[in-house]
Amino acid sequence: MVTRADVARLAGVSPSTVTYVLTGQRPTTRATRERVQRAIDALGYRPNRHASLLAARSVRTVGVLFRMQRSGIDANDLEYIEGLRASVESLGIQVFVPVGRRTSAVDALETLVQSGALDAAVLMDVAPDDEREQYLLNEKVPTVLIGTSHRVDGAPGVDADFKQMADLGVRHLVELGHRRILFLMRDIRADRSNAYMAQSQSVRLAARRYGVEAVFRACPDNVLAGAREVGASGLAEGCTAVVSNSPSALEGVIAAAWARGLSLPRDLSLVSVGLTVARTPTGDLVTEVGVDRPALGRRAGGLLLQSLEDDSIRGITLVDPRLIDHGSTAPPAP
């Protein structure tokens, strides 16, 4: 596919100059316009309507697209959205989150695009070879991913470095003295998002790398899945710590521990992967390994603006994670 960058190289100008020639946003010389037009004709370039509109300041909406089958949007999701808003709303671009009935992801997206409400998109809950991404690319809707689809020549995006994330969490527990760890991970058969697959694979690798005795559970995202892993004397199968990417399952572990008179973190340690979870009614949190979500949202917004200037941008930028110790981990009880 011929891009604006290809036209710029052939014409001997910058991609932004090609934009100015196409939109008239800034004055250009006649000679420059002629060079750009000759390059367009030679390459058979078809201008991206959405990129031209935004460059001309007539694009006003960016949709943050979750999968329509979701039951809701939580506080962790909102942090990404707030970061995105901070990066684009000063330019007069409004960020919105469409909410629809349970239907095919592409059918819902097609309705949205055909309505004219969507000028650009940021995809969340990205799955391998995400069908929404392919549809948006076919429709030439400027698109950025918060996630990874592994699609060759797909939309650009930003994502967490899940290998580093898992390493941070497992190493933290090992350094405290934990040797038998329960990994309570979302059932990837029930959710296609690449993030959950990458998290599960990464914690398995980290467990092997640090030589821990690992007990893996693929669990549905509900409270009971976590509660049943806690017995009168502590965690199932002699584990002393839990690593989980399921907020509901972690809440179940916490509730069951309280009900049985167990203390956190004296009797069991908790680490959440990629999300914030409360462990007390007063707002104390579970120790977390994850990314700065607002900052990642801002990076996604910046990448979207950059890609609208140069639609040849591709690839996924990985963001380094961090460990935030909220006090839910301690050395295992003797």
Side-chain angles (χ1 to χ4, degrees):
M1 182 179 69
V2 178
T3 68
R4 194 165 303 205
D6 297 327
V7 173
R9 281 191 291 272
L10 184 58
V13 298
S14 68
S16 59
T17 299
V18 176
T19 298
Y20 301 148
V21 169
L22 291 171
T23 66
Q25 184 185 6
R26 293 186 185 179
T28 53
T29 66
R30 179 177 178 179
T32 297
R33 291 194 297 273
E34 289 176 349
R35 285 207 311 276
V36 169
Q37 190 58 56
R38 284 196 297 270
I40 288 172
D41 294 341
L43 295 171
Y45 174 65
R46 294 177 57 197
N48 183 317
R49 179 181 68 86
H50 290 84
S52 298
L53 284 171
L54 184 61
R57 296 286 196 223
S58 59
V59 161
R60 290 292 180 254
T61 61
V62 175
V64 180
L65 307 181
F66 295 90
R67 290 193 174 272
M68 294 298 184
Q69 293 86 350
R70 260 188 178 226
S71 59
I73 297 171
D74 61 29
N76 291 284
D77 298 325
L78 292 175
E79 291 186 283
Y80 293 109
I81 296 168
E82 286 304 309
L84 174 65
R85 288 180 57 193
S87 68
V88 302
E89 286 196 340
S90 63
L91 301 175
I93 302 166
Q94 296 301 308
V95 175
F96 72 102
V97 182
V99 178
R101 64 187 184 279
R102 289 175 176 266
T103 184
S104 146
V106 172
D107 287 347
L109 188 52
E110 184 176 9
T111 300
L112 184 63
V113 170
Q114 290 179 353
S115 74
L118 183 73
D119 296 329
V122 174
L123 282 188
M124 300 281 289
D125 298 335
V126 179
D129 293 320
D130 199 298
E131 68 277 17
R132 300 171 301 158
E133 177 192 16
Q134 185 61 63
Y135 175 80
L136 291 166
L137 292 174
N138 290 343
E139 292 297 312
K140 300 193 181 300
V141 177
T143 301
V144 163
L145 312 179
I146 295 182
T148 303
S149 70
H150 303 293
R151 185 185 301 279
V152 177
D153 245 2
V158 290
D159 201 4
D161 187 327
F162 293 113
K163 290 182 180 178
Q164 283 194 47
M165 190 182 293
D167 189 270
L168 282 174
V170 174
R171 185 173 72 236
H172 175 69
L173 291 171
V174 168
E175 288 174 349
L176 287 171
H178 294 275
R179 294 295 178 266
R180 190 167 179 83
I181 300 172
L182 173 64
F183 292 91
L184 199 55
M185 309 301 288
R186 288 178 188 250
D187 186 348
I188 59 176
R189 296 169 300 179
D191 193 314
R192 295 182 55 223
S193 296
N194 179 72
Y196 302 136
M197 288 185 273
Q199 288 165 354
S200 292
Q201 292 166 359
S202 295
V203 296
R204 286 179 180 274
L205 290 172
R208 286 201 294 269
R209 187 160 55 248
Y210 288 101
V212 301
E213 295 179 47
V215 176
F216 287 96
R217 298 277 198 271
C219 69
D221 191 24
N222 64 52
V223 172
L224 292 177
R228 66 187 176 210
E229 299 296 339
V230 182
S233 59
L235 290 170
E237 299 192 35
C239 294
T240 58
V242 176
V243 173
S244 180
N245 65 348
S246 166
S248 296
L250 272 175
E251 289 165 2
V253 170
I254 294 164
W258 289 344
R260 294 183 178 279
L262 300 173
S263 173
L264 305 173
R266 187 189 65 207
D267 295 313
L268 63 150
S269 291
L270 302 177
V271 173
S272 69
V273 178
L275 47 90
T276 297
V277 178
R279 63 183 168 93
T280 68
T282 57
D284 295 329
L285 302 177
V286 173
T287 293
E288 174 188 350
V289 285
V291 293
D292 182 335
R293 286 177 287 274
L296 194 147
R298 289 193 295 273
R299 291 186 69 164
L303 181 60
L304 179 63
L305 295 175
Q306 185 183 358
S307 68
L308 288 162
E309 183 69 23
D310 179 1
D311 56 12
S312 68
I313 294 173
R314 291 290 182 270
I316 303 297
T317 300
L318 294 183
V319 176
D320 290 339
R322 58 187 182 173
L323 184 143
I324 308 174
D325 189 347
H326 291 300
S328 70
T329 59

